[in-house]
Amino acid sequence: MSNKSDTKLQAPAVPASGIKKFWADFSESRLAVFALAVFSTILFIAIFAPWISPTNPYDLSSVDIMNSRLPPGTEDFAGNVYWLGTDGAGRDMLSSIFYGLRVSLGVGAFSGIVAMAIGATIGLAAAYFGGQLETIIMRIVDIQLSFPSILMALIILAIFGKGVDKTIIALGTVRWAY
C-alpha cells in the first residue's frame, strides 16, 4: 500500500479581466472613488438640467425683472425659491449653473479631443520621419511650452474672435503639446 495523501486538485486561478483589475486598483483609493462620484454627479446634473433645474434661464417668458438681484434663499411673489439668488435680469442662478455645466463640460471634452488629434498627428509624423523634422517639431513644442497656455489661448481667441467653437479650437491648439 502506498501512502498517497488525498490532495484535491484545484483549478488554476483565472486572471481577472482588464476592467475588473482596473476597478480593483481604482477602488483602493478612496479619493479616486470620491472624485468619480463627484464627477458623476456633475455629469448627471449637466445631462438632466432641463428636468432638475427650478427654471429655464433661457426662457425669457419666465424671467421677471422684479426678481432681479434677489439674495440667496429668497422667495418671490409666485412662490419660487431662489436658492442661490438671481442675477440682474431676474434669472435663477442655480438654474444658470446647471445649464452652464453643459457648455463647460462640452468645451472641455471637445478641446481635449482636438488637442489629442493634433498632438497624435504631429507626434506620429515626428516619430515616422524622424531626423531633422523631429528636431524641428521638438523645438516648436519647446517654444510653445515656454509660454503660458492661457496666454496663447487668449491670443488665438483675439485672432479668431468670439464663440464656443473658436474657444474649443483655441484650447485644443494650445494643449496639444502636453
PDB file of all heavy atoms in Angstrom, residues 12-25:
ATOM      1  N   PRO A  12      -6.450  26.193 -11.794  1.00  0.00           N
ATOM      2  CA  PRO A  12      -5.617  27.399 -11.708  1.00  0.00           C
ATOM      3  C   PRO A  12      -6.490  28.652 -11.635  1.00  0.00           C
ATOM      4  O   PRO A  12      -7.595  28.695 -12.169  1.00  0.00           O
ATOM      5  CB  PRO A  12      -4.799  27.370 -13.006  1.00  0.00           C
ATOM      6  CG  PRO A  12      -5.557  26.476 -13.917  1.00  0.00           C
ATOM      7  CD  PRO A  12      -6.291  25.496 -13.057  1.00  0.00           C
ATOM      8  N   ALA A  13      -5.987  29.635 -10.934  1.00  0.00           N
ATOM      9  CA  ALA A  13      -6.743  30.882 -10.775  1.00  0.00           C
ATOM     10  C   ALA A  13      -6.896  31.570 -12.124  1.00  0.00           C
ATOM     11  O   ALA A  13      -5.939  31.692 -12.885  1.00  0.00           O
ATOM     12  CB  ALA A  13      -6.029  31.810  -9.800  1.00  0.00           C
ATOM     13  N   VAL A  14      -8.112  31.988 -12.390  1.00  0.00           N
ATOM     14  CA  VAL A  14      -8.402  32.682 -13.640  1.00  0.00           C
ATOM     15  C   VAL A  14      -8.007  34.146 -13.472  1.00  0.00           C
ATOM     16  O   VAL A  14      -8.440  34.788 -12.508  1.00  0.00           O
ATOM     17  CB  VAL A  14      -9.908  32.570 -14.000  1.00  0.00           C
ATOM     18  CG1 VAL A  14     -10.212  33.328 -15.271  1.00  0.00           C
ATOM     19  CG2 VAL A  14     -10.301  31.118 -14.121  1.00  0.00           C
ATOM     20  N   PRO A  15      -7.170  34.654 -14.340  1.00  0.00           N
ATOM     21  CA  PRO A  15      -6.791  36.059 -14.197  1.00  0.00           C
ATOM     22  C   PRO A  15      -8.000  36.970 -14.419  1.00  0.00           C
ATOM     23  O   PRO A  15      -8.878  36.674 -15.226  1.00  0.00           O
ATOM     24  CB  PRO A  15      -5.733  36.274 -15.280  1.00  0.00           C
ATOM     25  CG  PRO A  15      -5.949  35.176 -16.255  1.00  0.00           C
ATOM     26  CD  PRO A  15      -6.548  34.027 -15.496  1.00  0.00           C
ATOM     27  N   ALA A  16      -8.041  38.041 -13.661  1.00  0.00           N
ATOM     28  CA  ALA A  16      -9.149  38.991 -13.770  1.00  0.00           C
ATOM     29  C   ALA A  16      -9.088  39.708 -15.114  1.00  0.00           C
ATOM     30  O   ALA A  16      -8.014  39.912 -15.678  1.00  0.00           O
ATOM     31  CB  ALA A  16      -9.072  40.000 -12.643  1.00  0.00           C
ATOM     32  N   SER A  17     -10.256  40.062 -15.608  1.00  0.00           N
ATOM     33  CA  SER A  17     -10.292  40.793 -16.874  1.00  0.00           C
ATOM     34  C   SER A  17      -9.715  42.186 -16.657  1.00  0.00           C
ATOM     35  O   SER A  17      -9.536  42.641 -15.531  1.00  0.00           O
ATOM     36  CB  SER A  17     -11.720  40.875 -17.390  1.00  0.00           C
ATOM     37  OG  SER A  17     -12.495  41.704 -16.551  1.00  0.00           O
ATOM     38  N   GLY A  18      -9.478  42.890 -17.745  1.00  0.00           N
ATOM     39  CA  GLY A  18      -8.874  44.218 -17.657  1.00  0.00           C
ATOM     40  C   GLY A  18      -9.730  45.205 -16.890  1.00  0.00           C
ATOM     41  O   GLY A  18      -9.233  45.983 -16.083  1.00  0.00           O
ATOM     42  N   ILE A  19     -11.043  45.161 -17.103  1.00  0.00           N
ATOM     43  CA  ILE A  19     -11.936  46.097 -16.424  1.00  0.00           C
ATOM     44  C   ILE A  19     -12.019  45.772 -14.942  1.00  0.00           C
ATOM     45  O   ILE A  19     -11.986  46.673 -14.099  1.00  0.00           O
ATOM     46  CB  ILE A  19     -13.333  46.081 -17.075  1.00  0.00           C
ATOM     47  CG1 ILE A  19     -13.229  46.613 -18.500  1.00  0.00           C
ATOM     48  CG2 ILE A  19     -14.337  46.874 -16.268  1.00  0.00           C
ATOM     49  CD1 ILE A  19     -14.503  46.501 -19.301  1.00  0.00           C
ATOM     50  N   LYS A  20     -12.098  44.486 -14.601  1.00  0.00           N
ATOM     51  CA  LYS A  20     -12.162  44.098 -13.187  1.00  0.00           C
ATOM     52  C   LYS A  20     -10.877  44.468 -12.465  1.00  0.00           C
ATOM     53  O   LYS A  20     -10.906  44.936 -11.326  1.00  0.00           O
ATOM     54  CB  LYS A  20     -12.439  42.603 -13.059  1.00  0.00           C
ATOM     55  CG  LYS A  20     -13.847  42.210 -13.421  1.00  0.00           C
ATOM     56  CD  LYS A  20     -14.045  40.730 -13.238  1.00  0.00           C
ATOM     57  CE  LYS A  20     -15.453  40.317 -13.656  1.00  0.00           C
ATOM     58  NZ  LYS A  20     -15.650  38.868 -13.530  1.00  0.00           N
ATOM     59  N   LYS A  21      -9.748  44.249 -13.110  1.00  0.00           N
ATOM     60  CA  LYS A  21      -8.470  44.601 -12.496  1.00  0.00           C
ATOM     61  C   LYS A  21      -8.348  46.117 -12.338  1.00  0.00           C
ATOM     62  O   LYS A  21      -7.906  46.601 -11.294  1.00  0.00           O
ATOM     63  CB  LYS A  21      -7.313  44.071 -13.324  1.00  0.00           C
ATOM     64  CG  LYS A  21      -5.959  44.384 -12.712  1.00  0.00           C
ATOM     65  CD  LYS A  21      -4.876  43.592 -13.372  1.00  0.00           C
ATOM     66  CE  LYS A  21      -3.496  43.908 -12.906  1.00  0.00           C
ATOM     67  NZ  LYS A  21      -3.301  44.530 -11.657  1.00  0.00           N
ATOM     68  N   PHE A  22      -8.774  46.853 -13.364  1.00  0.00           N
ATOM     69  CA  PHE A  22      -8.734  48.310 -13.266  1.00  0.00           C
ATOM     70  C   PHE A  22      -9.608  48.789 -12.118  1.00  0.00           C
ATOM     71  O   PHE A  22      -9.203  49.634 -11.329  1.00  0.00           O
ATOM     72  CB  PHE A  22      -9.191  48.952 -14.578  1.00  0.00           C
ATOM     73  CG  PHE A  22      -9.398  50.434 -14.478  1.00  0.00           C
ATOM     74  CD1 PHE A  22      -8.315  51.293 -14.465  1.00  0.00           C
ATOM     75  CD2 PHE A  22     -10.671  50.970 -14.359  1.00  0.00           C
ATOM     76  CE1 PHE A  22      -8.495  52.654 -14.356  1.00  0.00           C
ATOM     77  CE2 PHE A  22     -10.867  52.329 -14.247  1.00  0.00           C
ATOM     78  CZ  PHE A  22      -9.777  53.177 -14.240  1.00  0.00           C
ATOM     79  N   TRP A  23     -10.835  48.268 -12.011  1.00  0.00           N
ATOM     80  CA  TRP A  23     -11.739  48.715 -10.947  1.00  0.00           C
ATOM     81  C   TRP A  23     -11.192  48.323  -9.573  1.00  0.00           C
ATOM     82  O   TRP A  23     -11.331  49.080  -8.610  1.00  0.00           O
ATOM     83  CB  TRP A  23     -13.140  48.169 -11.148  1.00  0.00           C
ATOM     84  CG  TRP A  23     -14.042  48.653 -10.056  1.00  0.00           C
ATOM     85  CD1 TRP A  23     -14.561  47.912  -9.048  1.00  0.00           C
ATOM     86  CD2 TRP A  23     -14.476  49.994  -9.834  1.00  0.00           C
ATOM     87  NE1 TRP A  23     -15.291  48.711  -8.217  1.00  0.00           N
ATOM     88  CE2 TRP A  23     -15.262  49.995  -8.675  1.00  0.00           C
ATOM     89  CE3 TRP A  23     -14.267  51.193 -10.503  1.00  0.00           C
ATOM     90  CZ2 TRP A  23     -15.858  51.142  -8.169  1.00  0.00           C
ATOM     91  CZ3 TRP A  23     -14.863  52.343  -9.997  1.00  0.00           C
ATOM     92  CH2 TRP A  23     -15.631  52.308  -8.852  1.00  0.00           C
ATOM     93  N   ALA A  24     -10.571  47.147  -9.470  1.00  0.00           N
ATOM     94  CA  ALA A  24      -9.991  46.737  -8.194  1.00  0.00           C
ATOM     95  C   ALA A  24      -8.871  47.696  -7.788  1.00  0.00           C
ATOM     96  O   ALA A  24      -8.786  48.111  -6.621  1.00  0.00           O
ATOM     97  CB  ALA A  24      -9.471  45.312  -8.287  1.00  0.00           C
ATOM     98  N   ASP A  25      -8.020  48.058  -8.723  1.00  0.00           N
ATOM     99  CA  ASP A  25      -6.940  49.007  -8.426  1.00  0.00           C
ATOM    100  C   ASP A  25      -7.488  50.403  -8.148  1.00  0.00           C
ATOM    101  O   ASP A  25      -7.031  51.092  -7.243  1.00  0.00           O
ATOM    102  CB  ASP A  25      -5.940  49.063  -9.579  1.00  0.00           C
ATOM    103  CG  ASP A  25      -5.152  47.775  -9.737  1.00  0.00           C
ATOM    104  OD1 ASP A  25      -5.095  46.984  -8.772  1.00  0.00           O
ATOM    105  OD2 ASP A  25      -4.599  47.555 -10.832  1.00  0.00           O
TER     106      ASP A  25
END
